[in-house]
Amino acid sequence: MTRRPGTAQTLVADSLAGFVAAHEDLVAFGRDAKFVRRRRLTPGKVAVISGGGAGHEPLHCGFIGAGMLDAACTGHVFTSPTPDQILAAMDETDGGAGCLLVVKNYDGDVMNFEMAAEMAAGRHHVETVIVEDDAATGPSVRSRGRRGVAGTVVVEKILGAAAERGDDLATLKALGDGLSGRLRSMGVALRGVSLPDTARDTFALGPDEMEIGVGIHGEPGLYRTRRAGAEEIVRLLCEPVLAQLPPLAEAHPLLIVNGFGGTPPIELNRAHALARAVLGERGLVPVRALVGTFVTSLDMAGLSLTLALLTPAEFALWCAPVRTAALVW
């Protein structure tokens, strides 16, 4: 089939080219445009590398920069990057301290990042952290166990900050694994995903329906129910998240309200206010919050709530300076 500029066949490549051009002070293409990396790498630090299918922007490329990722590999829409992309990113960004791979728990991502790590044997010291924050634990066609969803932002930020200050590879691996049990997310969709120029269908919802427990690849959730008001929706998202988190006496609760691509800021901010009220009923007061569109599913209308119970040391890493296209403080 002939490739034509500006079609769905070139959507990902065109989008990445536009992203790199818009943020050329922060990022650059790696060799053969197989990945995007920091424009200025830091010798002697662990390279933090992530990636996944396109369609989740600004994840992952939007989080490349000081205090976060060193490189990100992007596959086709909702399709994992290939092992050779990931290996090329390791080759170009390893500053001598090894590579930490941050991988969402989806079968394709896990398999391809594992293959890349095996291919890197003898060339790089590599560790992997699997993100599995989804509180919706029902059957999935794309993953075994908990999926990696919006909590990926928390993992990438904290590990990126720790790498920036000079933590070694083993310390970063332990830090990432330790976050797993204290990080949960839950999502709701009010409209499915419009996939560009593919034969795959996503779920369709009626005007009075919503899907609870959705992932970020257009897959259905745990169950479908009547569309509810904003307060009831927020409670339906908070309850499983709270039920799966352990008590932590010195916790610093971090709340993320994330839009899936088709939800305006006014609704996300309202959901944030309602979520704070629900958490307050349980005696949880978020010490920091992040509200906006960070981990999307193309144009899906809906949102997710993420709660992380951070230790004081983890919270300090979350608050550490960051400069990326999508996050700056």
Side-chain angles (χ1 to χ4, degrees):
M1 184 179 292
T2 302
R3 293 170 61 86
R4 294 181 293 113
T7 70
Q9 298 173 57
T10 63
L11 171 62
V12 176
D14 292 344
S15 176
L16 288 173
F19 172 79
V20 171
H23 303 285
E24 59 182 4
D25 58 324
L26 296 173
V27 301
F29 275 120
R31 186 176 70 248
D32 299 325
K34 288 184 175 181
F35 59 94
V36 179
R37 64 166 178 85
R38 289 195 202 189
R39 179 163 289 278
R40 287 171 288 277
L41 298 169
T42 303
K45 77 175 279 297
V46 173
V48 183
I49 300 168
S50 192
H56 305 308
E57 291 76 15
L59 190 80
H60 295 273
C61 287
F63 300 126
I64 298 171
M68 217 157 171
L69 297 178
D70 291 280
C73 305
T74 302
H76 295 295
V77 173
F78 295 169
T79 303
S80 173
T82 60
D84 69 292
Q85 288 179 267
I86 302 160
L87 182 61
M90 288 192 275
D91 287 343
E92 195 164 317
T93 62
D94 188 349
C99 301
L100 183 73
L101 307 180
V102 180
V103 184
K104 301 186 303 301
N105 189 29
Y106 284 90
D107 288 348
D109 288 1
V110 172
M111 178 181 68
N112 286 356
F113 274 86
E114 282 181 351
M115 289 177 62
E118 292 171 0
M119 293 162 63
R123 294 160 64 173
H124 304 283
H125 295 292
V126 182
E127 292 285 0
T128 300
V129 170
I130 304 295
V131 183
E132 43 187 2
D133 58 302
D134 195 355
T137 55
S140 173
V141 297
R142 287 181 170 265
S143 66
R144 298 176 181 87
R146 300 183 192 281
R147 298 171 292 201
V149 286
T152 308
V153 177
V154 180
V155 177
E156 291 181 351
K157 172 63 181 76
I158 288 175
L159 294 181
E164 202 73 44
R165 73 181 180 187
D167 286 13
D168 63 23
L169 189 58
T171 301
L172 294 174
K173 165 69 172 171
L175 178 61
D177 289 348
L179 277 168
S180 182
R182 293 177 281 107
L183 178 64
R184 290 290 181 270
S185 303
M186 190 74 171
V188 60
L190 305 180
R191 186 187 70 237
V193 178
S194 303
L195 293 170
D197 197 28
T198 74
R200 285 189 289 135
D201 294 328
T202 184
F203 61 86
L205 291 170
D208 297 318
E209 294 180 319
M210 62 182 183
E211 192 88 9
I212 301 291
V214 293
I216 55 173
H217 294 90
E219 68 269 49
L222 289 177
Y223 63 93
R224 186 169 300 185
T225 186
R226 62 170 181 81
R227 185 172 295 196
E231 183 173 356
E232 184 178 345
I233 290 174
V234 167
R235 287 188 180 277
L236 287 172
L237 299 182
C238 285
E239 287 170 1
V241 166
L242 291 167
Q244 294 180 26
L245 288 171
L248 189 65
E250 296 185 3
H252 287 62
L254 167 68
L255 174 64
I256 298 179
V257 180
N258 170 66
F260 283 144
T263 306
I266 191 170
E267 294 185 14
L268 297 177
N269 283 309
R270 185 185 185 201
H272 173 228
L274 294 170
R276 293 184 75 93
V278 172
L279 296 177
E281 295 170 2
R282 306 289 185 91
L284 280 174
V285 179
V287 293
R288 284 286 290 270
L290 192 62
V291 183
T293 300
F294 304 103
V295 181
T296 59
S297 185
L298 289 173
D299 62 345
M300 186 160 69
L303 59 90
S304 62
L305 298 181
T306 298
L307 186 62
L309 300 183
L310 303 180
T311 66
E314 292 163 352
F315 180 66
L317 289 167
W318 174 264
C319 295
V322 61
R323 183 168 181 258
T324 70
L327 283 186
V328 180
W329 60 67

